[in-house]
Amino acid sequence: MIRSVLVANRGEIARRIFRTCRELGIATVAVHSDADADAPHVREADAAVRLPGSAPADTYLRGDLVVEAAVAAGADAVHPGYGFLSENAGFARAVQHAGLVWIGPPPAAIEAMASKTAAKKLLGEAGVPLPAPLDPDRIRESDLPVLVKAAAGGGGRGMRVVRELAALEGELAAAGAEAASAFGDGEVFVEPYIERARHVEVQVLADAHGAVWALGTRDCSLQRRHQKVVEEAPAPGLSGQVLRTLEDAAVAAARAVAYVGAGTVEFLVPPEGGPLFLEMNTRLQVEHPVTECVHGIDLVAHQIAVAEGAPLPPGGPPPARGHAVEARLYAEDPARDWQPQTGRLWRLEVPGDVRVDAGVADGSEIGVHYDPMLAKVIAWAPTREGAIRKLARALETATVHGPVTNRDLLVRSLRHPDFCGARMDTGFYERHLARLTGELTGEPTGEPTAPEAAEAAPDGAGYAALAAALAEAVRDAPGRPRVAARVGGWRNLPSVPASRRYADEGGAEHEARYVWGRGGVAPEPSAYPGVRAVAVRADGVVLEVGGVR
């Protein structure tokens, strides 16, 4: 029986695994780099071990140090989470050789799926449908477009879409170099690039007694740089035949490598024709919460039970109920080529009946060393429409004070007609990103145009600056306003207006002017005609603009 688990990871997934461990009465051990010394996952663990340094290569990717940490802390099991060492067969063996329980699939299964080329050969023999391979030396114009992919790793690295024959040689070299740098393996291969394909995956769960569950489907088609942004379960709009093919192929893939534990089999679903195997991830996926919400299970709890040798419950997988949608909140600027953002996250609060799996807390410093994902927000409802509406509203009304995030993009994506109508595919952002981020003026964005917005609603950033100034005038607020930074300001005698200047999330500056009177602080009348301060507190301001509070 497992009594103490070390999570060989950080951030959101470490906290999520710790949550299940606490519910099961299992002690927890964190590892941390110097950059993560005060991170939430470290504070929440029962014990923590330092991995000297900040770069992943010196810390979370040092399997030898992680195993030493587990032994030193008295853990008797290791859970790898996702990313880092989660699909490293050598690390899995090192954990086992140290006498610890490995909460993951057998190392041989990890190895079998580590190379996409070897995995496709193996699964082709098992009857899993595959895309036709292409010889890079024999590709012709008629074969284009093609996809160059790294044989190892994932996360979109070492992947290139090639639409011109003259570019193929250079893209092969670039993809190989990127793969070698990221994964230590420069092998790449080429296959047809399927336009308008959907990315659909099947969650599998297997025990050591021969049982394999297919826990429905997930659609992960909304991606940027081949990395997922929005996921949902079950995948909408698929025929019964396609669903059967997906689940049968996923089970066949798991059985082909004697899989044990939780894993995901990923497919491309073309506009016409049947699903085609993409890869198998031999770990827990980032998007596993949507499956948990729909099937009413805890996948981490099942992983632990299977690692202890328990069989899966009799009767097969629990049936699906309702619909769940997940959005990944990143500290990044979609309008500037998805550029990661850094700085202090002053506050993150998501209202509503939604699940929030966050790797950060109020006051967390967002640095340069790790993935910029702040949190996953997951909404469940009896219908897909209800889940989308609930998630969009929760994100829209969330308090996110700090670096620029993709929050507005997520809201607009969830409300886009193509997504709402289940007409999405992996090229969604290639077609719609500019409009969704407002880069193309005069084009429909799903939001009011600038003139319409000016007539229909107050200047949100300008009034946010005013509200912030009023709050600070009373007392420095414990949180931060919905403006990125206070640029400067001064305060005169109460008889004359005071002003403060702020920069909003887009970098534009706003001057907020206010006065002190017998009734307290209020907007300067000449600067804000028709605006009244209904209530002013250090932690919140209520303005009435044009009769609307």
Side-chain angles (χ1 to χ4, degrees):
M1 182 164 53
I2 293 173
R3 294 178 174 82
S4 177
V5 170
L6 179 142
V7 177
N9 220 294
R10 63 176 300 279
E12 172 269 323
I13 189 57
R15 298 180 78 189
R16 187 265 169 274
I17 295 166
F18 289 163
R19 185 170 67 243
T20 290
C21 288
R22 287 193 297 269
E23 292 173 356
L24 296 176
I26 295 174
T28 57
V29 180
V31 289
H32 68 87
S33 66
D34 291 338
D36 277 341
D38 194 40
H41 80 277
V42 178
R43 298 198 300 265
E44 291 177 1
D46 295 309
V49 181
R50 174 180 176 243
L51 304 176
S54 291
D58 300 326
T59 55
Y60 297 107
L61 289 172
R62 285 286 303 274
D64 56 336
L65 297 182
V66 173
V67 172
E68 289 177 8
V71 173
D76 49 25
V78 172
H79 193 305
Y82 55 70
F84 294 131
L85 295 166
S86 61
E87 294 180 284
N88 187 310
F91 175 61
R93 287 196 174 95
V95 169
Q96 294 176 334
H97 289 166
L100 306 171
V101 177
W102 168 249
I103 305 177
I110 298 175
E111 281 180 333
M113 291 299 176
S115 168
K116 295 180 180 65
T117 50
K120 289 186 176 186
K121 183 177 184 299
L122 174 66
L123 297 188
E125 296 171 354
V128 176
L130 306 173
L134 295 172
D135 183 344
D137 297 325
R138 297 184 178 182
I139 293 175
R140 301 291 179 261
E141 289 282 353
S142 57
D143 297 321
L144 299 176
V146 297
L147 185 64
V148 179
K149 295 181 66 175
R157 295 184 177 180
M159 191 178 295
R160 301 284 193 283
V161 178
V162 181
R163 299 183 182 277
E164 298 179 3
L165 198 58
L168 179 60
E169 184 176 351
E171 295 289 26
L172 283 167
E178 184 179 15
S181 174
F183 314 123
D185 183 347
E187 181 188 357
V188 296
F189 63 98
V190 183
E191 62 187 23
Y193 178 69
I194 304 171
E195 303 277 12
R196 301 273 182 161
R198 290 172 60 181
H199 186 129
V200 179
E201 59 193 30
V202 178
Q203 174 74 57
V204 295
L205 188 62
D207 62 24
H209 306 277
V212 180
W213 285 0
L215 283 162
T217 57
R218 297 189 289 252
D219 189 293
C220 309
S221 297
L222 265 62
Q223 304 177 2
R224 54 101 162 103
R225 292 178 172 173
H226 306 290
Q227 292 181 314
K228 301 159 188 173
V229 178
V230 176
E231 305 101 346
E232 61 180 302
L238 299 178
S239 69
Q241 179 58 50
V242 169
L243 289 172
R244 285 190 293 273
T245 299
L246 287 166
E247 294 190 351
D248 290 347
V251 170
R255 293 195 183 282
V257 294
Y259 199 81
V260 175
T264 299
V265 187
E266 303 194 348
F267 299 86
L268 286 177
V269 179
E272 298 180 2
L276 299 171
F277 173 78
L278 190 61
E279 63 186 10
M280 183 174 186
N281 290 304
T282 53
R283 54 173 169 78
L284 199 64
Q285 291 281 88
V286 179
E287 59 272 21
H288 74 273
V290 292
T291 296
E292 293 184 322
C293 289
V294 168
H295 288 272
I297 63 172
D298 183 329
L299 284 169
V300 174
H302 278 295
Q303 284 184 298
I304 293 172
V306 166
E308 291 178 324
L312 291 174
R321 185 179 66 90
H323 204 94
V325 186
E326 171 182 295
R328 304 188 190 186
L329 183 66
Y330 285 100
E332 65 183 13
D333 191 343
R336 292 174 173 79
D337 198 29
W338 309 99
Q339 185 180 67
Q341 304 293 299
T342 59
R344 187 167 304 278
L345 179 70
W346 295 105
R347 191 175 182 192
L348 174 62
E349 182 179 0
V350 185
D353 180 23
V354 294
R355 170 176 166 176
V356 180
D357 287 9
V360 294
D362 292 357
S364 289
E365 188 70 29
I366 311 304
V368 299
H369 298 291
Y370 312 114
D371 184 89
M373 188 174 76
L374 303 177
K376 305 178 309 195
V377 184
I378 308 101
W380 178 92
T383 65
R384 181 174 187 263
E385 294 77 9
I388 292 172
R389 183 167 53 241
K390 183 187 292 186
L391 180 58
R393 182 59 178 165
L395 288 166
E396 183 179 46
T397 56
T399 301
V400 188
H401 293 165
V404 172
T405 71
N406 67 335
R407 184 259 298 276
D408 290 344
L409 175 73
L410 293 173
V411 174
R412 292 175 180 178
S413 300
L414 291 166
R415 291 174 174 167
H416 193 280
D418 283 358
F419 181 79
C420 292
R423 295 186 298 273
M424 61 283 190
D425 58 72
T426 54
F428 178 87
Y429 284 124
E430 291 179 19
R431 297 191 301 276
H432 301 303
L433 181 63
R435 295 182 182 182
L436 289 169
T437 56
E439 289 292 296
L440 296 180
T441 59
E443 297 278 359
T445 62
E447 301 290 325
T449 62
E452 291 171 344
E455 293 174 3
D459 176 356
Y463 287 120
L466 172 61
L470 296 176
E472 287 194 281
V474 176
R475 181 175 62 84
D476 283 343
R480 283 299 185 271
R482 193 184 173 185
V483 285
R486 196 177 108 187
V487 179
W490 49 269
R491 179 175 297 162
N492 252 351
L493 296 174
S495 59
V496 296
S499 71
R500 296 174 186 264
R501 289 188 300 120
Y502 297 88
D504 67 21
E505 293 175 343
E509 291 190 10
H510 303 271
E511 184 180 39
R513 298 175 63 83
Y514 59 94
V515 294
W516 281 93
R518 293 179 179 177
V521 66
E524 184 193 3
S526 62
Y528 300 96
V531 177
R532 183 170 70 93
V534 177
V536 179
R537 302 182 305 276
D539 63 344
V541 172
V542 179
L543 297 178
E544 183 174 287
V545 183
V548 179
R549 291 192 182 190

